[in-house]
Amino acid sequence: MLRPTSFLTKLALWVAAANAFVVFIPDDQCDPTGHCGPFTKTTRKHGGHSARSNGGEVVTFPLIARPRQVLDDESEPFDRVAVAIARVAQKFGGPPAVRARSQKDDKNYVPGNQYPISHPIKSTSEGSTGIYQYGPDFSYFIRVELGSQKTPLYMLLDTGAGNTWVMGTDCTEYACRLHDRFDTATSTSWKPNQADDFFINYGTGNVTGVVGWDNMVLAGKTVNVQFGVANHTAEELRHYAFDGILGLGMGHSVTGSFFKEVRQQNALKPIVAISMNRDSDGVNDGQATFGGIDPAKHVGEIKYADVTTEHKAKGEWVIPIEGFSFDGKQAKLNSTKAIIDTGTTYIFGSPPDVAELFKLVPGAKLDEKPAYTEYIVPCDTKTAFKVTFGGVAYEIPAKDWVAQVEDDKCLSRIYGYIDLPSFRPGEWIMGDVFLKNVYSVFDADNGNMRIGFANKAAPPKPTSTGNTGAVATGEDGRPVVPGSTGSATGETSAETVTPKTVSGGSKVGGVAFTLAWALVAWAMLAV
């Protein structure tokens, strides 16, 4: 069995034969406490920064993200104020952060979703909703409301499979208690499907539960859909911020097919157009449009490639890949198909094909792991890869495929899979490392099944702000403060602090002291 700190295998239905999002955490993203997640050279030190907007002026706060629950073997109480102080001190060269409460401390402790989540700016086009991010650039999800009580939950956008499920209140495992959950008993519109339970196998754990029908509000529309409510989840899901998965595949599903159901109800066209933000751009303008396309989110023509006949019959978003190149040189590929998967963070290919790519990268060195291969690359690498679909070459810039994990060590985010039976020979998996560079359209309308790409529209430019006292709001209309995340249920703050920009390399001084106490004040309000 693979270690979760090494590789979390692909979602499957009973057997590892179905496409789905690849839950992958490379070794370099596991810290000494045993927590594995979206770390980089920067976020290992101080938890990253927060970019917020009020829908017009964009305000950037380069502060730490709100502390998340961290599994630990030490019995220490979870104190938001202490954690806030320690994190600020750590950012400016102080002592390590206070560790959060562990599973052993209190098995009945129910914190809800407190992951550091980047909130999107408000969407204005019809049928659209902002895409939240757990990052930097680690996973992308939307906020929905379920049931008669309109319970807000985060759901991963997953074009890799058709399974839709959320964590339920009957799930008492630690992974579930770190998230917000759906209580079927409080929803008068919930209709259980007595004939069906569901079981989804991760390889290192599984998700099980009941299936039923209820109302879902997303992108301003209300649809009645069948989905699963988990009473057990894989422990590995503690590393991820989403509370469930919205399956956007058109194939078989053990929980009900979202797009097939809304199409039968004439509620939505089976089209979703997605623009993912890049964290380093400084503002989260990510957006998903259901039932159509938002012209404001792309420039130039959308070029389509038809899903292959074999995969259309299976309802899978797979198209021909026509080439991979670096610095004008084409790689010799054996794999000619690509799964376009919004639920997967990175890019994967067979080890021989990935080796062909890195023959073209000067100074690249193979680092073979038990379950995958990765490549160490020179940190001064600036050249983009280019991948061709539908006759058009799209860039994957070095800032997306190269990650600096130590002062003098950089790794590629394009991996070769080895001991993973759920990966099918001859197919690439093109995840978010590629997709955040394009506007992507998944179109199953009128009996077709095709994927379109276009260049993304430029994001709004982030700006710094002084102590203006202005209250910034996120896509969900909630006030947003520096480093705030809150739970999906909507914590609010009575006060917004808008300090001036401070670089990560600043020393402790008057500004740091002010920031520390500002964050402490916010943490106390959030308790």
Side-chain angles (χ1 to χ4, degrees), residues 321 323-331 357 383-389 392-397 401 430 434:
I321 183 170
F324 231 128
S325 67
F326 183 85
D327 199 19
K329 300 176 182 178
Q330 288 288 330
L357 290 186
T383 305
F385 275 107
K386 290 185 179 180
V387 59
T388 303
F389 296 108
V392 181
Y394 301 95
E395 284 198 351
I396 307 170
W401 72 265
M430 304 300 292
F434 164 67

Side-chain angles (χ1 to χ4, degrees), residues 375-386:
Y375 285 81
I376 301 170
V377 297
C379 289
D380 60 357
T381 301
K382 304 298 182 185
T383 305
F385 275 107
K386 290 185 179 180

